[in-house]
Amino acid sequence: MMVRSYVEKPNCIILAISPANQDIATSDAIKLAREVDPSGERTFGVLTKLDLMDKGTNALDVLEGRSYKLQHPWVGIVNRSQADINKNVDMMAARRKEQEYFESSPEYGHLAHKMGAEYLAKLLSRHLETVIRQRIPSIIALINKTIDELNSELDRIGRPVGVDGGAQLYTILEMCRAFDRIFREHLEGGRPGGDRIYRVFDHQLPDALKKLPFDRHLSTSNVKKVISEADGYQPHLIAPEQGYRRLIDGSLGFFKGPAEASVDAVHSILKELVRKSIVETQELKRFPTLQSDIAAAANDALEKFRNESRKTVLRLGEMESSYLTVEFFRKLQTEPEKPPQNQAQAAAPNVDRYSDNHLRRIGSNVSAYINMVCETLRNTIPKAVVFCQVREAKRSLLNQFYAQVGRREKEQLGKMLDEDPSLMAKRETIAKRLELYKSARDEIDAVAWK
């Protein structure tokens, strides 16, 4: 069973050795060879003990392929006798004695040049070379496939990082660019996430604007209260301008909440996209410290962008408050108040000097103006948020980080590129295997072209 397990392999060359002084038809070697190699392509017949055959007999029928033909020629050999072994006859002398035997033999003299252990060795060597040459293309193909697999594995876990500062800095910048590319893809639609920013502007902001308490602020009672307080001891002469301005300023103040909420919502989305982008940047997985540094730098930049965005959206409200669109009120149809019908109405206290109809008209006018401003801010707040936060995140998210990294020393850069020791060991093992396969390929190529 042990012998069979070897000779069954398609790459195995079979030496079917049989003694010449026994019947070849009963040879176990020939029988096994026929079972595992029916075509005979791998089988070489070797006939031994030619010098021990009975007088008057020879093995020419076997050696010349008449009694049992093989694809490859039979080779006869004469080994050292027991007496030679006892006398410590060396192999060189034994080979010379073997050659003399065939050359001087009347039966085998004409076959002497194709007999003997030396000829068998040359025959097997030529055959082995032929087989190897035939299999070289498939061997090289297998080696190339393995090299490709090892290269892919190295690319997956990351190539070794150079030890000099320039190489380390280059690696860090490459990692940053890979992260930045994925972050941009999230914002621009190549990956999911950026659409959530649009939903802030299309749903969250309009819903928040609709819920502002303008009805309460511009109710008849509050309008009366605000106008009365604005007039003070001196009632207005024609139109309660100070009251109008206080009502408008109070209404514009309500926009601060939705504006800041929009800024914060977009900030949260950008932070989440930074986190996802770091996770999805395969090149960064091997450098946990660099991951943390990039995340911290990106979040610091986003915080700066948020502060600038908050200032900008609040300025939008302040601009509306600092200069009212006077032309809007000049176009309003004003209804003059009816004069009092009797002296009792004329003598009413100043706090009751505005009719409900007049107060409702003031509230309606202010409400119309605020609705106009609301529509303006609904369009300008998203523009400001995108300009200050999204646009800057795309353009300069890691600019400050780049400046800081460029000033760091080699030791600091090395700490940013620390790796898991097990990963480093795995990479070294793969690199060694890769070099061995490349060397083997080069050597096989050299043999193939000889």
Side-chain angles (χ1 to χ4, degrees):
M1 293 299 293
M2 181 182 296
V3 173
R4 178 179 288 273
S5 68
Y6 282 100
V7 298
E8 282 179 336
K9 297 177 180 178
N11 291 333
C12 178
I13 297 176
I14 302 172
L15 289 182
I17 301 175
S18 302
N21 55 1
Q22 293 182 12
D23 187 0
I24 197 67
T26 62
S27 170
D28 291 334
I30 292 295
K31 181 181 177 182
L32 179 59
R34 188 186 302 119
E35 292 176 359
V36 299
D37 181 31
S39 65
E41 292 180 358
R42 302 187 287 119
T43 302
F44 287 81
V46 179
L47 208 58
T48 65
K49 300 184 180 181
L50 291 170
D51 56 332
L52 300 180
M53 293 184 70
D54 295 336
K55 289 184 178 182
T57 62
N58 60 61
L60 285 177
D61 286 346
V62 176
L63 292 175
E64 293 178 348
R66 289 190 294 272
S67 64
Y68 192 88
K69 186 173 180 62
L70 293 175
Q71 184 169 332
H72 300 288
W74 282 85
V75 178
I77 62 174
V78 175
N79 292 320
R80 289 185 301 173
S81 64
Q82 187 60 48
D84 291 336
I85 295 174
N86 292 338
K87 293 178 183 178
N88 293 323
V89 176
D90 62 38
M91 294 302 299
M92 295 296 293
R95 295 284 75 83
R96 286 194 298 270
K97 184 178 179 180
E98 178 190 42
Q99 189 64 30
E100 291 171 0
Y101 169 81
F102 283 113
E103 290 175 352
S104 62
S105 170
E107 294 90 359
Y108 309 120
H110 66 290
L111 297 176
H113 64 288
K114 294 192 294 185
M115 296 290 124
E118 289 187 11
Y119 175 76
L120 177 62
K122 292 178 181 178
L123 182 65
L124 293 175
S125 178
R126 287 197 299 268
H127 178 74
L128 184 60
E129 182 180 344
T130 301
V131 171
I132 290 175
R133 286 185 182 277
Q134 289 173 348
R135 297 182 181 273
I136 279 178
S138 60
I139 294 173
I140 291 180
L142 179 60
I143 291 176
N144 285 334
K145 179 183 177 184
T146 305
I147 289 175
D148 291 341
E149 291 173 351
L150 292 174
N151 276 322
S152 297
E153 182 67 10
L154 274 181
D155 289 337
R156 188 185 67 81
I157 67 175
R159 299 280 177 171
V161 179
V163 295
D164 60 289
Q168 292 173 341
L169 179 60
Y170 176 81
T171 300
I172 291 173
L173 295 180
E174 282 294 297
M175 300 296 105
C176 292
R177 281 190 280 268
F179 156 77
D180 197 46
R181 182 176 62 255
I182 293 176
F183 180 72
R184 287 168 176 262
E185 289 175 0
H186 277 294
L187 290 178
E188 295 171 352
R191 296 172 185 255
D195 55 308
R196 292 169 54 198
I197 295 175
Y198 173 73
R199 288 201 292 270
V200 171
F201 304 143
D202 197 50
H203 295 92
Q204 178 180 317
L205 178 60
D207 291 346
L209 294 176
K210 291 176 183 178
K211 295 176 182 178
L212 293 178
F214 293 130
D215 290 345
R216 185 179 71 248
H217 183 67
L218 298 177
S219 64
T220 302
S221 59
N222 193 59
V223 170
K224 182 177 181 179
K225 175 176 177 295
V226 171
I227 289 178
S228 297
E229 291 174 352
D231 282 348
Y233 74 92
Q234 177 66 58
H236 61 271
L237 300 178
I238 301 176
E241 182 174 330
Q242 291 302 318
Y244 265 103
R245 290 187 177 275
R246 287 195 181 186
L247 288 170
I248 292 172
D249 284 343
S251 299
L252 293 176
F254 291 125
F255 290 118
K256 178 180 179 181
E260 291 185 324
S262 297
V263 171
D264 292 338
V266 171
H267 177 74
S268 297
I269 294 171
L270 292 175
K271 284 186 66 176
E272 176 61 18
L273 293 183
V274 165
R275 186 195 66 78
K276 290 180 65 176
S277 298
I278 288 178
V279 171
E280 294 171 8
T281 305
Q282 296 297 323
E283 298 90 336
L284 276 174
K285 291 185 181 297
R286 54 191 283 212
F287 303 120
T289 300
L290 183 57
Q291 283 188 37
S292 301
D293 290 345
I294 290 177
N299 288 330
D300 287 345
L302 291 180
E303 189 66 34
K304 176 183 175 182
F305 301 153
R306 175 170 69 169
N307 292 337
E308 187 61 33
S309 182
R310 182 181 286 116
K311 292 177 184 177
T312 301
V313 296
L314 293 181
R315 286 194 188 104
L316 294 176
E318 293 169 0
M319 286 188 288
E320 294 291 345
S321 179
S322 63
Y323 189 80
L324 304 182
T325 306
V326 180
E327 193 65 25
F328 176 88
F329 293 97
R330 289 175 178 170
K331 293 180 179 179
L332 292 176
Q333 296 295 325
T334 57
E335 180 180 321
E337 286 190 75
K338 295 180 180 181
Q341 297 178 355
N342 52 52
Q343 291 182 349
Q345 290 178 328
N350 280 341
V351 293
D352 297 325
R353 60 182 175 268
Y354 310 118
S355 67
D356 287 347
N357 188 45
H358 182 59
L359 295 173
R360 282 194 294 271
R361 175 60 62 84
I362 293 174
S364 176
N365 291 343
V366 173
S367 178
Y369 183 77
I370 293 301
N371 286 337
M372 181 190 72
V373 174
C374 181
E375 191 62 29
T376 299
L377 293 179
R378 179 177 175 177
N379 293 321
T380 55
I381 288 175
K383 295 178 186 294
V385 171
V386 169
F387 183 84
C388 295
Q389 291 175 264
V390 180
R391 174 177 173 270
E392 286 303 306
K394 287 173 59 178
R395 293 178 58 187
S396 58
L397 183 63
L398 295 180
N399 279 10
Q400 186 63 30
F401 182 68
Y402 291 147
Q404 294 172 354
V405 169
R407 294 193 293 267
R408 293 186 181 180
E409 299 295 332
K410 174 184 174 182
E411 291 74 14
Q412 295 173 308
L413 296 175
K415 291 179 180 179
M416 297 174 68
L417 296 174
D418 63 334
E419 292 186 84
D420 185 347
S422 63
L423 185 65
M424 296 174 66
K426 182 178 181 181
R427 182 189 301 110
E428 184 176 355
T429 300
I430 294 174
K432 287 181 178 178
R433 288 183 60 199
L434 185 60
E435 287 303 313
L436 287 175
Y437 276 104
K438 288 181 177 179
S439 176
R441 181 181 61 185
D442 293 342
E443 291 183 11
I444 293 174
D445 277 340
V447 170
W449 286 101
K450 285 183 179 179

